[in-house]
Amino acid sequence: MLALINGCIYTMAGPIYKEGRILIKNKEILAVGGREIGIPAEAKVVDVAGKNIYPGLIDAHCHVGIIEEIYQYEGDDANEESEPITPHLRAIDGINPMDIGFQDALKAGVTTVCCLPGSANIIGGLGAVLHTCGSSVEQMLVRNPAGLKVAFGENPKRNYGEQKKMPVTRMANAALLRENLVAAENYLKKGVNADRNLKLEALGLVLEGKIPIRAHAHRADDILTAIRIAEEFGVQIVVEHCTEGHLIADMLAKKNVPLVVGPVLINRAKVELKERTLETAGILAQKGLTVALMTDHPVVPIEYLSLSAALAAKAGLSTTGALEAITIKAAQILGLEKQLGSIEPGKNADLIVTEGSILDLNVKVEFVLIAGKQVYSIYNLC
C-alpha cells in the first residue's frame, strides 16, 4: 500500500484537498481526502508537501507510436493510402511501443492516449486507447477498439483526387461512407449466415453501438455532414478537430455531440484551418458541450498537451475546463470515465505529482504513477 500525503489534490471530481491524502492499494485508489483519511501502519508514506497531484493526463486524439517522429517513412503507419475504405485496419497492428513519443508523454504527465489511424481515407480503421508505459501493445492496452476513424473534407479529396479515383468531392466522401454503412447493415441482418467480412465487421461495431465514429472534420459544413450521417444511421459520433466549431456552436449545443478540439499549437497550413482560433474550446464549453483537447502528435509534440490546455484557458476556457479537457472530459469521450480521469476511490491509480500548476509554462512533472506503479520520477519515491 502507498500513501501520498500533504499534496494539493485536484481530484477533477469536485473537491480540491489542499493538504490531502491518497491511499493506493495494488492498482487502484483506495481513499482520497484530508486528514480524516487514516494511514495504515503497513503503508509506504510519501510526503509531497508543496506539490500538486492530478489524475494522469489524457490525450484524446494522437498518433503516438503509429507515426514515429524520427523515422518519417519507416515509422509512418497511420495511412493506408492505397484505397479509401479500410475499416478493418487496426491501430494496434501499427503501434511501436518503443516510439520515443511514449517517453516524452510520461515526462509530461500524459499517462493515457487514444491512438487513431490517420485521415487520408474516408474510413481509416480502428483506434485504441493505451497507457504510455509498457514494452508491448498488449501490456499498454486500456480499450480496443476505441472508435472507428472516418474523415471528411480536404484530406481524402486530396489523396484520392491526385490518384484520379473516388473520392474527388465532398459529396463522394459522404456517399462512400453511407454506401459502406448500408453494406454493413445488410451484413448484420444476415447474421450467422454471412461469410465473414472484416471490413463489415468493423463497421458493424459502430452500427451496434459498441464504438463511436471518430470523425475528422475541420470545416463547419463537414462537421454538420458528419453529424447528419451519424443521425441517419443512429450511431454514436465524436467530432475530432472541430476547427470551425465555434462558428456553429449553437447548432452543436442542440446536437450535444462530444468534441475533441485541436491541435491548437498549429498555423493555418491549409484552407480548412483558416478559422483556427484558440477561443474555440472555450466557446464550445460555454455552450455546455463535452470538450477535450488533443495534440494530434506528432503534429504537435505530445509533451505540449498541458501547454495546449493553458493556451485554451488564456483564450477563454475556464481553468477548471482546461484541466477537465485533458483529464475527466477526455475520459468521458473515450468511454473510460469509470476508470480514468479523476482521483476517486475505485479508479485506476494513474496520478502525477508536479511542482507548480500543470497549466504553468514552468511546471515540472516530478513523479508519475500508472496503475499504482511508479513509471517515471526525477527521484525515486517508491
Side-chain angles (χ1 to χ4, degrees):
M1 185 179 293
L2 176 66
L4 302 180
I5 65 170
N6 296 327
C8 183
I9 304 170
Y10 291 81
T11 63
M12 305 316 301
I16 297 174
Y17 299 102
K18 293 201 173 173
E19 292 184 355
R21 297 179 174 185
I22 303 173
L23 291 182
I24 299 164
K25 185 175 182 180
N26 298 325
K27 298 180 179 181
E28 292 186 353
I29 298 166
L30 189 63
V32 58
R35 293 188 180 276
E36 75 280 3
I37 302 295
I39 307 298
E42 69 272 20
K44 177 178 177 59
V45 178
V46 179
D47 191 337
V48 289
K51 311 297 183 184
N52 291 339
I53 307 174
Y54 301 93
L57 307 185
I58 302 171
D59 192 335
H61 174 129
C62 69
H63 308 286
V64 64
I66 201 170
I67 303 178
E68 299 176 58
E69 294 176 79
I70 298 170
Y71 306 103
Q72 295 187 13
Y73 172 75
E74 297 87 348
D76 185 349
D77 291 295
N79 289 294
E80 179 57 49
E81 299 181 25
S82 57
E83 61 173 295
I85 305 298
T86 56
H88 54 320
L89 301 187
R90 302 174 187 180
I92 57 169
D93 296 323
I95 293 170
N96 178 9
M98 305 303 173
D99 179 11
I100 197 170
F102 287 113
Q103 298 175 38
D104 293 340
L106 282 179
K107 292 176 183 178
V110 181
T111 57
T112 305
V113 295
C114 181
C115 183
L116 295 163
S119 53
N121 292 353
I122 300 300
I123 307 176
L126 298 166
V129 178
L130 304 93
H131 276 136
T132 52
C133 183
S135 56
S136 71
V137 168
E138 284 72 20
Q139 288 178 346
M140 300 162 75
L141 273 181
V142 178
R143 183 184 181 193
N144 179 56
L148 181 68
K149 179 69 175 285
V150 303
F152 295 83
E154 289 182 22
N155 288 9
K157 273 168 48 82
R158 181 187 306 111
N159 185 47
Y160 291 98
E162 290 174 354
Q163 297 182 42
K164 305 299 184 185
K165 59 196 274 190
M166 192 174 180
V168 177
T169 64
R170 281 179 164 82
M171 293 182 294
N173 287 352
L176 284 171
L177 179 56
R178 285 193 178 96
E179 180 181 11
N180 282 273
L181 286 169
V182 168
E185 285 181 329
N186 293 333
Y187 176 77
L188 291 177
K189 287 175 184 175
K190 292 180 181 178
V192 294
N193 296 319
D195 292 335
R196 192 173 183 195
N197 184 309
L198 291 177
K199 289 185 175 182
L200 299 179
E201 273 186 21
L203 286 160
L205 296 174
V206 171
L207 292 168
E208 292 171 331
K210 294 177 179 177
I211 58 172
I213 283 175
R214 304 289 301 269
H216 165 111
H218 287 281
R219 222 168 70 174
D221 57 338
D222 290 324
I223 295 168
L224 293 175
T225 296
I227 294 171
R228 182 183 311 122
I229 293 174
E231 290 179 341
E232 183 179 330
F233 287 89
V235 300
Q236 304 169 52
I237 184 172
V238 177
V239 175
E240 315 281 325
H241 302 295
C242 202
T243 303
E244 292 189 0
H246 59 283
L247 302 180
I248 52 170
D250 289 333
M251 283 183 271
L252 291 177
K254 290 178 182 178
K255 302 294 185 181
N256 197 29
V257 174
L259 312 167
V260 184
V261 173
V264 300
L265 276 169
I266 55 171
N267 66 353
R268 297 174 179 88
K270 57 182 179 177
V271 174
E272 288 179 330
L273 302 179
K274 180 172 70 73
E275 299 294 335
R276 182 202 62 78
T277 171
L278 292 172
E279 297 176 1
T280 301
I283 292 169
L284 295 169
Q286 287 169 15
K287 295 293 182 180
L289 287 154
T290 301
V291 176
L293 294 169
M294 68 162 81
T295 64
D296 206 16
H297 177 96
V299 176
V300 171
I302 197 162
E303 60 262 42
Y304 297 152
L305 179 62
S306 62
L307 176 58
S308 299
L311 289 171
K314 182 180 179 181
L317 184 60
S318 69
T319 299
T320 298
L323 291 172
E324 289 178 339
I326 53 176
T327 56
I328 188 61
K329 296 297 186 184
Q332 290 171 0
I333 287 172
L334 299 179
L336 294 167
E337 68 275 16
K338 292 182 180 179
Q339 299 168 240
L340 305 172
S342 62
I343 302 175
E344 298 180 83
K347 286 199 171 184
N348 285 15
D350 292 4
L351 305 170
I352 62 174
V353 176
T354 70
E355 181 181 334
S357 166
I358 195 65
L359 299 180
D360 191 319
L361 179 62
N362 296 316
V363 66
K364 182 183 293 183
V365 175
E366 297 189 345
F367 180 46
V368 179
L369 289 176
I370 291 181
K373 180 182 178 182
Q374 177 185 311
V375 293
Y376 171 78
S377 179
I378 63 171
Y379 39 68
N380 193 36
L381 286 177
C382 59

